Amino acid sequence: MKYCERKMKKFLKQDALLRLSVKGLIDLGHDEKSALEIVFNGYILNDFSMEEIYLKL
């Protein structure tokens, strides 16, 4: 599965946990782009249900 910033931003609108995680990383000093990629790698990849939702976006 390939990371897509547009899809991640769309997914954030639907999922409060992902939004909170990205916000937390930004508060720790990460820029938005790296925060989105970190959350993608940590929460989306290897989680079948999250991958399924992501692919439908």
Side-chain angles (χ1 to χ4, degrees), residues 7-55:
K7 280 187 173 187
M8 275 302 292
K9 287 183 177 182
K10 200 171 184 180
F11 204 169
L12 288 183
K13 292 178 184 177
Q14 299 177 13
D15 192 290
L17 175 62
L18 296 181
R19 274 194 312 273
L20 183 61
S21 299
V22 169
K23 183 186 178 318
L25 288 168
I26 291 171
D27 290 347
L28 290 172
H30 292 274
D31 60 37
E32 182 184 32
K33 186 175 180 175
S34 66
L36 288 168
E37 287 188 56
I38 291 167
V39 169
F40 173 78
N41 290 328
Y43 286 93
I44 309 297
L45 291 180
N46 298 319
D47 181 329
F48 178 75
S49 61
M50 294 293 263
E51 286 182 2
E52 192 174 316
I53 295 167
Y54 182 82
L55 289 172

